[in-house]
Amino acid sequence: FVPPKEVGEDGSIFARDANGKLIPASQILAELPETRALVAGLAGEPTYLTVKEDGTLHPWGIVDNCTHLGCTFPWNAYENQFQCPCHGSRYDSEGNVVRGPAPLPLKLTRVSVEDDLIRISPWREIDPRTHQKPWWV
Ligand code: FES
């Protein structure tokens, strides 16, 4: 058995919990569908993962860093939104701005499963929400 390479050539890493422990994908996938799980992503940035209705992980991670002034924010499952407590910005489930003052959609990362670990990679391609080059690249 050859363990998967921890840091990919593209700078990707495996998701960890708040204590720095690697998180098995099976642990996240055991959550209810449409759950958001917060993990430590690229450069330690907290990143939301989504368990889809079919029980797989959504291929986008959403970085928990408000595009207004950088506050972190919770997921509100009842309103199906990310809601920033600092100045009231709201984002839909894909990270699009629903209400300002946030000027930009939330940053994305790429998410995949590798040997029951969750690989998080930088997102450098066209933003599927805006169909434009990502603002963070
Ligand atoms: Fe989120 Fe201002 S930092 S609304």
Side-chain angles (χ1 to χ4, degrees), residues 3 9 34 43 51 56 62 68 71 83 85 93 134 136:
E9 279 163 21
E34 293 301 317
V51 179
T56 61
I62 293 183
H68 180 222
C71 286
Q83 299 181 339
S93 60
W136 57 88

Side-chain angles (χ1 to χ4, degrees), residues 66 68-71 84 86-89 101:
C66 182
H68 180 222
L69 292 175
C71 286
C84 184
C86 291
H87 313 97
S89 290

Side-chain angles (χ1 to χ4, degrees), residues 1-132:
F1 172 74
V2 180
K5 206 167 153 209
E6 173 94 18
V7 179
E9 279 163 21
D10 59 355
S12 65
I13 50 104
F14 290 124
R16 293 176 180 271
D17 65 17
N19 298 317
K21 205 166 148 255
L22 288 168
I23 303 175
S26 50
Q27 179 185 319
I28 301 283
L29 294 173
E31 304 279 341
L32 291 172
E34 293 301 317
T35 297
R36 264 64 180 179
L38 197 54
V39 300
L42 295 169
E45 278 185 317
T47 301
Y48 281 102
L49 308 181
T50 303
V51 179
K52 295 193 299 178
E53 273 192 25
D54 67 3
T56 61
L57 270 182
H58 196 287
W60 311 349
I62 293 183
V63 176
D64 182 7
N65 188 329
C66 182
T67 61
H68 180 222
L69 292 175
C71 286
T72 57
F73 47 80
W75 167 248
N76 183 323
Y78 297 103
E79 297 195 52
N80 210 33
Q81 290 180 339
F82 296 103
Q83 299 181 339
C84 184
C86 291
H87 313 97
S89 290
R90 294 180 174 213
Y91 303 87
D92 69 14
S93 60
E94 294 187 338
N96 296 298
V97 178
V98 175
R99 188 173 90 191
L104 294 164
L106 295 168
K107 182 177 169 183
L108 297 180
T109 60
R110 195 166 284 289
V111 174
S112 59
V113 176
E114 202 175 303
D115 290 337
D116 201 32
L117 294 175
I118 303 159
R119 186 171 286 285
I120 300 188
S121 316
W123 188 295
R124 299 197 175 97
E125 303 80 19
I126 294 295
D127 185 330
R129 304 166 300 184
T130 61
H131 306 289
Q132 294 179 348

